[in-house]
Amino acid sequence: MAKRKNTLTRFLEDIVDDTKDFVDDLLDRAKDLETDVRDSVTDVVDDDEGDSAADVASLKASLAALQAKVDELTALQAKSSKN
């Protein structure tokens, strides 16, 4: 194996090459992260759209049942206060 001469320009060249490799790796990871985040957000938004109508209907039914109970209790309280 031949020994390479270590000159100032070689040293600077190595630093620039290593820095370029580092930045390339960072950009690749950032692209992967951006893609993963975009996919996750899309999945969350798509999942919510399909279930929202069913959720609203369920909440309305629960609210109607609760309102009926409140009306019933109010009527019972009114009867007991008259006696």
Side-chain angles (χ1 to χ4, degrees), residues 6-71:
N6 290 330
T7 62
L8 181 62
T9 54
R10 290 272 174 156
F11 177 72
L12 293 174
E13 180 183 4
D14 289 343
I15 290 175
V16 169
D17 287 343
D18 290 343
T19 303
K20 181 187 175 299
D21 291 341
F22 178 71
V23 171
D24 285 344
D25 289 343
L26 282 177
L27 290 175
D28 288 341
R29 288 180 187 211
K31 287 177 187 176
D32 292 342
L33 179 66
E34 181 181 10
T35 302
D36 291 345
V37 168
R38 184 178 293 129
D39 290 344
S40 296
V41 169
T42 302
D43 290 344
V44 167
V45 170
D46 287 345
D47 287 346
D48 286 348
E49 288 177 4
D51 295 337
S52 65
D55 289 343
V56 169
S58 174
L59 287 173
K60 284 183 179 180
S62 297
L63 184 60
L66 183 61
Q67 186 64 41
K69 282 289 186 184
V70 168
D71 292 342

